[in-house]
Amino acid sequence: MTWLTDFWRSSIGGKVTMAVTGVLLFGFVVAHLLGNLLLLAGPDAINSYAKWLHDKGPLLWVARIGLIAIFLLHIVTAIRLSRANKVARPVAYAKEATMQASMASRSMLWSGLSLLVFVVYHLLHFTFGVTNAEHFAKKAAPSTAAWNGHDVHAMVVASFQVPVIAIAYAAFQLVLFLHLLHGLQSFAQTLGVHHARYTPMIKKLSVLLAAAIAGGNVLLALSVLLGLVKGAA
Amino acid sequence: MRISLHIWRQSKKSTKANFKQDGKMVRYQLDHVSPDMSFLEMLDVLNEQLTKKGEEPVAFDHDCREGVCGSCGVMIDGEAHGPESGTTTCQLHMRSFRDGAEIWVEPWRAAAFPVVKDLVVDRSAFDRVVQSGAFISVNTGAPQDANAIPVPKADADRAFDAATCIGCGACVAACKNASAMLFVGAKVSHFLHLPQGRVEREQRARHLVAAMDQEGFGNCTNQNECEAACPKEIPVRVIAEMNREFVRAKVRQEPVSSKRVGGDG
């Protein structure tokens, strides 16, 4: 254990922790989007996907606990490193200039904390059914495959038909885009991969991946808002 | 040229408890600055003027004044070593500024670099990092025949890129987190690509990173400000190499029993 804690406490160990937990969280975001894209395939597709997930039982809980642990480790390490960085510069420059640090890289702490707020809201909304209980309570027809009769499709459609909710979700995707952009661009460098040819390619690929994730999520919210995806008649 | 300067003046050495001391930015004006003067010569002119008036001259570090020693180095308008890339403060000339410019001059700002006086900072943290492992322990004797140990050209170039570091501290000063990872990465990379240096690579990586953390430098967030500020244009590749070397060294580290003494930490 001391080996692990010593590693985590070191500057580079902290960076590596951010990179590894970050890329695992990115993996989750990819899987989350791929699953949710079933919304476009109609009520049966996404409802049976939800049932399939819940039928995994204990396995689902292992995944959930793992995800929460990774998420917490990512946040705790970020806070530790950010605090150390603040202490490392006790007096700010009277005149500050930025030469090549990107906006995304400079806003990591703020984009990260905003995403934390968003995740809490997102869980209250779609997982615990606190913020829009009436959408959460929608029931699927008994003949269809749905977990506990819970109609995910109807819930999502009802929520994103509310303009404020759809636009808020879409807006947070811009924050997610910025956070993923710098995270993905940093991942290889932090783990020690730097190559004259591949590093510029990784940077371009990061823009593509971050845009694909954010764009996919925006597509879901807006396709409901614009009436392209409708609830059951 | 007419130049207005805002210079950080601090008479007492920074302490942990009081880093700023009684320091403040003070405005000075110079009416006859030649565009051919170097930035340090311009400060010399200011200091002569101050001395004549019976005021305390501005303290700044300098030695070779030809861009190789790493002594000079101040923050000029928020940029380490000023606006020209790949240039130390001593090699920066006043023709890089426009007539009537207002120039802000500050010392490197980092907890690990306490201000000694005005623009002079104590960079001995770098020396302690170097002492922890940026060397080869064995006595290599007299210079050998140049090609006795073959080193591929690409490796020699990588090592040399890192070896051009003059230890000026601009990377720390420019980093938004006051991290020293470009400097320490350069030390790792300098030895990593050469057969003589590879022997002690694991303990070097562990010791250098431990010493760096001990000195209270910040952590790299891959913003690459250091690379842009470095007067020797050392690439951030050296940071990736240090990360890799550190992880490799930690993975290969043998568990040290608490009973053993003098083990390699």
Side-chain angles (χ1 to χ4, degrees):
Chain A
M1 265 322 257
T2 41
W3 187 94
L4 260 186
T5 47
D6 279 356
F7 180 75
W8 180 77
R9 272 199 210 99
S10 71
S11 52
I12 295 177
K15 279 159 51 96
V16 169
T17 307
M18 291 307 292
V20 172
T21 53
V23 91
L24 290 172
L25 290 170
F26 173 72
F28 168 75
V29 170
V30 171
H32 188 61
L33 173 63
L34 290 178
N36 287 353
L37 282 174
L38 290 172
L39 185 80
L40 304 177
D44 284 343
I46 194 156
N47 284 344
S48 52
Y49 169 65
K51 181 167 166 26
W52 175 79
L53 269 184
H54 281 278
D55 285 346
K56 293 278 165 283
L59 216 59
L60 180 66
W61 274 105
V62 171
R64 276 176 173 165
I65 290 167
L67 187 62
I68 292 169
I70 291 164
F71 198 65
L72 287 179
L73 190 57
H74 193 73
I75 296 169
V76 169
T77 310
I79 291 171
R80 176 178 78 77
L81 292 173
S82 303
R83 283 177 60 177
N85 293 346
K86 268 206 135 53
V87 173
R89 169 145 307 137
V91 181
Y93 289 108
K95 181 117 175 183
E96 227 192 302
T98 294
M99 279 174 278
Q100 58 179 24
S102 65
M103 201 260 269
S105 76
R106 300 193 63 194
S107 56
M108 280 310 260
L109 183 63
W110 299 113
S111 57
L113 290 174
S114 311
L115 287 174
L116 176 61
V117 171
F118 172 71
V119 166
V120 170
Y121 166 67
H122 185 48
L123 288 176
L124 290 176
H125 182 195
F126 282 147
T127 305
F128 300 115
V130 174
T131 53
N132 288 82
E134 73 283 8
H135 300 158
F136 190 75
K138 291 201 184 282
K139 291 291 173 195
S143 57
T144 54
W147 171 68
N148 269 356
H150 184 67
D151 193 341
V152 177
H153 188 269
M155 169 182 78
V156 173
V157 169
S159 288
F160 287 157
Q161 277 173 344
V162 181
V164 181
I165 296 179
I167 289 167
Y169 268 80
F172 267 108
Q173 295 312 307
L174 187 68
V175 182
L176 180 65
F177 169 74
L178 286 176
H179 200 77
L180 287 180
L181 180 62
H182 183 66
L184 290 170
Q185 288 186 339
S186 298
F187 169 68
Q189 166 82 7
T190 296
L191 293 187
V193 178
H194 189 101
H195 191 277
R197 197 178 313 141
Y198 300 131
T199 297
M201 277 164 63
I202 291 171
K203 295 213 163 182
K204 284 189 191 123
L205 190 66
S206 302
V207 180
L208 212 70
L209 284 174
I213 296 293
N217 288 330
V218 169
L219 175 77
L220 290 174
L222 291 192
S223 56
V224 173
L225 183 67
L226 300 177
L228 301 173
V229 172
K230 293 188 179 76
Chain B
M1 294 171 79
R2 170 179 290 197
I3 297 288
S4 300
L5 294 160
H6 297 263
I7 300 182
W8 179 261
R9 302 302 310 262
Q10 178 177 328
S11 54
K12 270 188 276 178
K13 188 176 173 171
S14 298
T15 57
K16 270 212 165 78
N18 189 355
F19 209 87
K20 279 177 107 163
Q21 293 292 358
D22 54 351
K24 59 179 186 296
M25 299 299 289
V26 179
R27 190 172 185 278
Y28 300 99
Q29 190 162 317
L30 290 174
D31 292 329
H32 305 288
V33 174
S34 157
D36 296 331
M37 282 178 184
S38 75
F39 197 84
L40 297 186
E41 284 165 344
M42 181 273 296
L43 289 180
D44 291 337
V45 170
L46 169 70
N47 277 347
E48 272 177 43
Q49 202 173 291
L50 290 176
T51 309
K52 272 185 198 152
K53 279 199 280 183
E55 288 177 39
E56 186 77 13
V58 176
F60 61 90
D61 250 338
H62 61 102
D63 190 20
C64 74
R65 296 205 179 198
E66 53 189 21
V68 295
C69 77
S71 299
C72 66
V74 288
M75 215 63 175
I76 301 166
D77 285 340
E79 292 184 54
H81 292 295
E84 300 292 338
S85 67
T87 306
T88 54
T89 303
C90 64
Q91 291 297 299
L92 174 69
H93 290 79
M94 295 313 292
R95 55 180 167 267
S96 298
F97 299 90
R98 54 174 181 76
D99 191 16
E102 297 255 340
I103 307 174
W104 296 70
V105 191
E106 297 172 75
W108 293 163
R109 293 295 190 194
F113 289 165
V115 174
V116 177
K117 190 180 181 185
D118 299 338
L119 304 174
V120 178
V121 297
D122 178 358
R123 280 171 292 193
S124 53
F126 269 10
D127 299 336
R128 289 187 291 272
V129 170
V130 168
Q131 281 160 7
S132 76
F135 49 77
I136 292 169
S137 308
V138 290
N139 187 344
T140 52
Q144 311 183 33
D145 184 61
N147 294 321
I149 304 173
V151 176
K153 173 81 167 82
D155 287 353
D157 285 349
R158 284 192 198 102
F160 191 74
D161 280 351
T164 56
C165 173
I166 54 175
C168 65
C171 46
V172 175
C175 176
K176 304 286 181 201
N177 312 320
S179 168
M181 289 202 185
L182 194 73
F183 172 77
V184 183
K187 301 303 147 208
V188 169
S189 181
H190 179 166
F191 295 104
L192 176 64
H193 299 290
L194 302 173
Q196 297 93 331
R198 230 166 279 155
V199 180
E200 295 169 286
R201 62 192 282 186
E202 284 148 32
Q203 71 175 58
R204 178 177 303 116
R206 283 198 297 270
H207 290 180
L208 286 179
V209 172
M212 167 177 79
D213 292 353
Q214 179 76 34
E215 295 295 340
F217 291 107
N219 307 286
C220 175
T221 49
N222 303 316
Q223 297 182 306
N224 305 355
E225 287 287 284
C226 52
E227 183 184 67
C230 177
K232 298 297 156 184
E233 301 182 316
I234 294 174
V236 291
R237 185 200 78 225
V238 301
I239 299 181
E241 288 175 349
M242 172 179 63
N243 295 342
R244 193 165 70 216
E245 280 296 291
F246 179 73
V247 172
R248 181 181 179 278
K250 287 302 264 187
V251 169
R252 291 168 69 105
Q253 187 173 20
E254 283 179 36
V256 180
S257 135
S258 56
K259 284 180 197 155
R260 222 161 81 185
V261 259
D264 167 37

